[in-house]
Amino acid sequence: MQVIARHEEPLVVQVGGRLVEGWVMDPPCPHCGGARLYFLAFDATCCPECNRWLDLLCPDPDCLHCRIRPERPWSETGFGQGVSASDGP
């Protein structure tokens, strides 16, 4: 899945055809070497290529970010809180 940093919007990354609030981070994914993406809505990093979270859930049962985090960053109906790039600003 192609990940493109949007220089005109530093807190928005295009992943495939979707826009996500977040940014690309180093080091890359330890599983596939692909882009590591910080997903702002879930306060966690993920790998779009592997479709997996790279951070564990925190131990706080009341954590808002962890409670709403889906099992995988990308589902069959889209992903996370992203919007279509064609719907973007």
Side-chain angles (χ1 to χ4, degrees):
M1 191 173 297
Q2 186 176 24
V3 177
I4 302 169
R6 296 171 53 98
H7 299 288
E8 68 277 9
E9 298 176 84
L11 297 180
V12 176
V13 177
Q14 185 171 337
V15 181
R18 310 286 290 191
L19 299 178
V20 174
E21 286 185 301
W23 53 87
V24 177
M25 296 181 64
D26 284 325
C29 173
H31 305 284
C32 75
R36 178 186 295 251
L37 176 67
Y38 177 78
F39 210 137
L40 190 61
F42 302 112
D43 192 25
T45 59
C46 67
C47 175
E49 199 61 43
C50 294
N51 193 23
R52 66 168 59 180
W53 296 106
L54 301 176
D55 297 325
L56 298 174
L57 293 172
C58 77
D60 181 359
D62 296 323
C63 174
L64 177 63
H65 297 287
C66 292
R67 283 194 322 214
I68 64 170
R69 190 168 97 175
E71 185 176 330
R72 296 201 173 266
W74 281 257
S75 70
E76 294 165 9
T77 59
F79 58 88
Q81 302 292 320
V83 298
S84 171
S86 61
D87 296 339

